[in-house]
Amino acid sequence: DVQLVESGGGSVQAGGSLRLSCAASGFTFDQVSIGWFRQVPGKQREGISCFVGSEGRTYYSDSMEGRFTSSTDNDKNMLYLQMNNLKPEDTAIYYCAADCFSDYGFLRYRYWAQGTQVTVSS
């Protein structure tokens, strides 16, 4: 079974940084792509990244690349999201998600965990 457990969310002031972690089990990153998205309750999901292990490449949504960097530790089956220069509009629930793909330029995800709250204050 695919299992994803996020950690590292919290509160930070604008301009600060946070690093999210995701422990994945039930698959390897060579087998299944993995990434991040975020969502504010009541609003549309925003794709952030998708790491395709078979390509050794991370895809980013255009609006996310730059301040957000995704990385993996394939030996530990861990996925990370480094977020820098955070802004109040980055406040959302951040989800680690597996089996991601690009759909006409939009990142889509099939499986995700419970999410972790990130709050950025001004």
Side-chain angles (χ1 to χ4, degrees):
D1 289 351
V2 171
Q3 290 195 340
L4 304 163
V5 179
E6 303 106 336
S7 60
S11 298
V12 65
Q13 288 194 327
S17 299
L18 276 177
R19 187 194 195 205
L20 305 182
S21 300
C22 175
S25 60
F27 64 98
T28 67
F29 296 168
D30 286 341
Q31 298 169 325
V32 181
S33 55
I34 188 167
W36 298 93
F37 69 86
R38 69 185 186 186
Q39 190 165 21
V40 175
K43 294 191 176 181
Q44 198 166 8
R45 180 183 304 171
E46 287 186 279
I48 298 173
S49 68
C50 177
F51 172 71
V52 181
S54 59
E55 299 178 19
R57 178 180 174 178
T58 300
Y59 295 85
Y60 292 92
S61 293
D62 289 343
S63 61
M64 300 296 177
E65 195 164 14
R67 295 188 299 119
F68 291 65
T69 304
S70 175
S71 61
T72 62
D73 183 332
N74 291 353
D75 290 338
K76 295 181 180 179
N77 241 35
M78 293 290 296
L79 175 72
Y80 305 99
L81 183 67
Q82 179 67 41
M83 305 183 292
N84 297 326
N85 191 22
L86 284 162
K87 305 175 181 180
E89 51 265 39
D90 294 319
T91 296
I93 301 173
Y94 284 71
Y95 296 86
C96 173
D99 199 5
C100 50
F101 58 98
S102 178
D103 179 19
Y104 292 99
F106 293 96
L107 295 178
R108 309 292 189 193
Y109 309 84
R110 289 202 173 101
Y111 305 100
W112 53 89
Q114 77 284 356
T116 185
Q117 177 71 46
V118 170
T119 302
V120 184
S121 58
S122 56

